[in-house]
Each structure stands twice: as structure tokens, then as C-alpha cells.
Amino acid sequence: MNKITEKLLEVISDWKGVFDGAFNIREDGQCVGRQSSPNIRIDPLAGGAGLEIHVSSQAQGETVYIPACVTKSDVNDLVYNDFYIGDGADVVIVAGCGVHNDGEGEARHNGIHRFFVGKGAHVLYKEKHIGMGDGSGARRIDPITDITLEEDAVMEMDTTQISGVDSTVRTTNANLAARAKLIIHERLMTNDQETAKTDFTVNMNGEDAGVDLISRSVAKDRSHQEYRSVIRGNTRCTGHSECDAILVGNGTVSAAPELFAGHIDAALIHEAAIGKIAGEQILKLQTLGLTEEEAEQKIIDGFLKG
Amino acid sequence: MLILENITWSVPDGDSILKGVDLVIPSGGLTVITGPNGGGKTSLAKIVAGLYKPDSGRILLDGEDITNLSITERARKGVGYAFQQPVRFKGITVRDLLELAAGHPLEESELCDILGSVGLCTHDYIDREVSTGLSGGEIKRIEIASVLARSDTKLTIFDEPEAGIDLWSFAGLIEAFQKLKTKNSGSILIISHQERILNIADEIVVIAEGKVRAKGSRDEIMPVLLADEKAAHCPRGKEVY
Ligand SMILES: Nc1ncnc2c1ncn2[C@@H]1O[C@H](COP(=O)(O)OP(=O)(O)OP(=O)(O)O)[C@@H](O)[C@H]1O
Ligand SMILES: [Mg+2]
């Protein structure tokens, strides 16, 4: 594993020299470290195209790390990872992707993650994206996440991209069975000329399924973001989505939330707010002794943290 | 000591709101400003804190002319202002706000002291966001706490601190102001309509129609206010028919 990968790992997956438990580290399309644990089995797919990860029902409170790094130009890494989560398992999955580019060619990671979450299982899926390096070549991360939740399964997805990714298209699809719950927290910040596209589609097919989709983003400089969400309530269910975006400088954001209620007892709510930082928020922090710039920074930090 | 000299201010579209306010607020005491709705109390407080710029006049804090200083500079010189309408923030927690106010990280016991003095239990609130999840009374208390958390203010202004605070907690609030008065050598200025707050004032100032209508010790002003109340005229000064 090279130095750049180590640095990226620190940022995206709290790497401190070792991973405790099951892990797989991918660097420029190759596996540079893998370990299974008694309850979490990681098998390579034929031809190095990705992984099959089986989490048994016995796994309770375990963590599996599957970070992927691209460390140079002219790499276009495509990976398929399939997760099979046993009934009643309780697991944390730390994914994360770092793209470092000091060269002129493009560096791209495209991860296709499929989750099959068994009855009553609980998954916390953490995905942190970052771009680094000062080459002129673009840094791209285009994740696709497909989620199938069986009855009573709960999945929380925390997805964060704070800086340095020139272009990203993030696609998430989910299908929920009865009483399954999906909670998505997205945090996104774009700078310079970066573009970020987010596309969520959630189908609630089983009675009393529920989704809570919270997106907070900051578009700075001349960056552009597009947010699209479709929540389909096909039966008695609850759906809530909240999309808040702060504009700084010449950032632009387009948000297109869609709700489909296909049943009389589908209760769906959408809230959206886009705009610059409220002037009175800056004033309040100035009365506590912060400068305008400090106030802006605190407001953005808090907004993206919360 | 705060000295205001002939402060005038008009709203951007031209209506004159403050029409020449002269006022001396001594240090070490508690002054309550009262007067009819729309009389210009909040405007005056915002001018002192630097949120509004006066059209004319001077503001002196402990002898220094602060008229042209920014909000930040005034805050750093010791001006504190608790808003009449508290501001909400998505993602900033009660702890974050109090630490920003104090200017340094706060120990559990310090947080307890500050929140306790506005009648909130630290554990229930410290990690809550200062956002729409808080009730009107809760956010008002946190707004007051954010000013109490500041260290060594020379002038502390509370704009209608009683608004939205339930009757049961009132005694605690009064106590917090009295405590502040003993520990802080600066001036405390409370804008209020509440008799119980007027009762703890050293001085009372009545502002109406953009001017100081009356000013004096509590004993001088209270009887006039109570008599006025009985007369039940329109607060704007016009007769009620
Ligand atoms: N930023 C502003 N833009 C327009 N008008 C304003 C502005 N600020 C204050 N005013 C007007 O100035 C007048 C005085 O308002 P101010 O808020 O100072 O009154 P107040 O004495 O604090 O009243 P209250 O007791 O209701 O709080 C009101 O008529 C108000 O509408
Ligand atoms: Mg007012």
C-alpha cells in the first residue's frame, strides 16, 4: 500500500495503521489488504471486479471496512461490491473513497454497492468521499448504491463529501419491505467549479415502511449542485425528505424533490430551503465577537455537521 | 457607562423612528427601558450594539466614541445584546453557541451554571440544535444564556427577556439579573414591559415616539407609569373614544 493511500484512509475511514476486524483495502483497482472475521466473510469476485461480503446473523456490533482509493491519473476504477446481511445482524460498514490526482489525466472511482439486508437487521453505512492532489486532471467519484431492505430491517446511510471532488454523480435506489426503515443523511460541499449530482429513489412497498432523507449542502464559488429525490409510497407508509442548501459566492443549486403517494395512507412530506446564509445569523454571531468571515465559517461548519 | 448623544435614526424608506435620544446609563446599575410598542426601544438597542447605524449622534462607552465601530468591534469592547427575536441555526448546538459566546470551551459545571440561571437543565439541552426544534420560551432562554455566557461585558442589553417565559420561571429570571448585577461592574440595560422587572430597576427610562419621554429613579417613575396605565389612553398617544 502506498503513502497516498495511507493518507486517504486516515481521512475517509479513520485509519490508524490497522483495522480492527474484517476489511478490504482497494488501491488503484487492486486489493492491497483483506481480512475476514468469524462473522464477516469477504470473498473476491472473479477477475478482481469486486467483493461479495457476507455478514452472518451472529455479527452484533461489528464493523467492516471497505475503503477504495485512487492515487494517480489515468485510473478509471470500476468496482462491484455486494453485501448480504443476515437476519438480525447489527453491523457498521465503513466504505469511503479517496481520489488523489497529481497528474493531468482523469482519476475516477465508480463503486456499485448492492445491499441485501435481511429481516430485522441493522446497518449503519458510512461513506465519506474526498478528492486530493494538485494535478490539473479531474477527480471523479460516481457511486451507485442499491438497497433492498427486508421486513423490519433498518439501514442508516451517512454520506459525506466535503472537498476536492471535481465531479460526482451519486445514485441511490432503495426498496423497502414492511416496517423497514431507511435513514439517509447526506452532507455535501462543493468549491471552485465542482459539480455534484444526487439522485435518490426510494420505493416503499411494505406496510409501515418509512424513509427519512436529509440532505444538507453548501455550494461555494462557481460550483453547481443538482438534487433529485423520488419517494414513492405504494402502501401505508411514512416518508420525509428535507433538502437544505446554502449558497456562497456564485454557487448554484437546483432541487427537484418528487413525492408519489399511491395509497390513501401514504403520509409524505417534503421540505426544501435554498439560499444564502441568513443575515441575522451572521449578525447574532458578530454580537458575540466573531468577524463576518468567522461567523460564516461557524454557520457552515455547524450546518454540515448537524 | 454608556452615553447617547442626540441619536437619530430613520428606516431605509424614510420614516423617522428615533428623533434625538439623549441618555446616560451609569455603570454598576440596572436600567430598565420601557414604553409603548413601536416606540423605538429595539431600534435604540440595535444602534448601541451596532446592528443599525444612526443618522446622527454619538455613542460613548466608558468615554470612548464607538459610533463608527462595527458590531464585532463593539462586542469585543464589551457590548452584549440579547435579541428580542432570537435567531435559529441549523446544526449549531446549545453548547456550540455558549462556547462561541464565552470565547473558549466550557466545562460541564460552567455550562450547568449558565443554563441553570435561565432555568434549563444542562443534560436535556446541551446537545440540542438551536433550531426550530426548540420552543419559543426555550430559544428565548438560550438567547439570554448566550449573553450571560460572555465574560466581562461592560454593557449588557436584554431585549424583552420576559417574552415567552412562563410565570413559574419568572422568579429565577429576576434572580439571574440580580446575580449579574452583583458580579458585573458594567451597565445592565433591560428593555421590558413587565412590572416585576421594572421593580428591580435602579433607573427607569420611558421611550415613546422615538424620544425619551421620562427618566428617573424607580420610585419617581413607577407611580407615573401606573397612573398612565389607569388613564388607558392609546399607546401612540391618541385618545381612545
Ligand atoms: N429595520 C426596520 N425596517 C423598517 N421599520 C423598522 C425597522 N426597525 C424598526 N422599524 C420600525 O420602527 C418602529 C420602532 O420599532 P422598534 O422595534 O424599535 O420598537 P419597540 O419600541 O422595540 O417596540 P416593541 O415594544 O413592540 O418591541 C416601528 O414602527 C418599527 O416598525
Ligand atoms: Mg422591541
Side-chain angles (χ1 to χ4, degrees), chain A residues 78-124:
Chain A
L78 171 66
V79 63
Y80 293 86
N81 291 330
D82 290 343
F83 295 82
Y84 298 90
I85 315 293
D87 293 352
D90 180 1
V91 69
V92 179
I93 299 168
V94 182
C97 173
V99 173
H100 182 103
N101 191 350
D102 278 333
E104 282 158 21
E106 186 173 278
R108 178 174 185 220
H109 179 82
N110 185 356
I112 298 167
H113 291 182
R114 293 195 299 170
F115 292 87
F116 303 93
V117 184
K119 292 191 177 70
H122 184 276
V123 176
L124 171 59

Side-chain angles (χ1 to χ4, degrees), chain B residues 83-103:
Chain B
F83 288 29
Q84 181 171 4
Q85 308 277 4
V87 181
R88 293 173 192 263
F89 297 86
K90 273 196 176 158
I92 291 186
T93 62
V94 171
R95 175 198 281 275
D96 293 338
L97 189 68
L98 297 182
E99 290 186 344
L100 285 175

Side-chain angles (χ1 to χ4, degrees), chain B residues 9 11 17 36-43 52 84 160 193 236:
Chain B
W9 182 70
V11 291
I17 305 296
N37 294 135
K41 303 179 296 296
T42 296
S43 306
Y52 294 166
Q84 181 171 4
E160 295 197 26
H193 301 288
R236 282 286 192 183

Side-chain angles (χ1 to χ4, degrees), chain A residues 136-153:
Chain A
S136 58
R139 284 151 282 262
R140 290 182 60 180
I141 302 179
D142 299 318
I144 296 176
T145 309
D146 281 329
I147 300 167
T148 305
L149 298 184
E150 289 187 33
E151 291 168 14
D152 301 295

Side-chain angles (χ1 to χ4, degrees), chain B residues 9-13 15-18 33-46 52 81 84-85 159-160 191-193 207-210 236:
Chain B
W9 182 70
S10 332
V11 291
D13 63 20
D15 269 0
S16 159
I17 305 296
L18 295 177
I33 295 187
T34 192
N37 294 135
K41 303 179 296 296
T42 296
S43 306
L44 191 65
K46 287 185 173 175
Y52 294 166
Y81 175 47
Q84 181 171 4
Q85 308 277 4
D159 199 342
E160 295 197 26
I191 298 171
S192 176
H193 301 288
I207 289 195
E209 294 168 20
R236 282 286 192 183

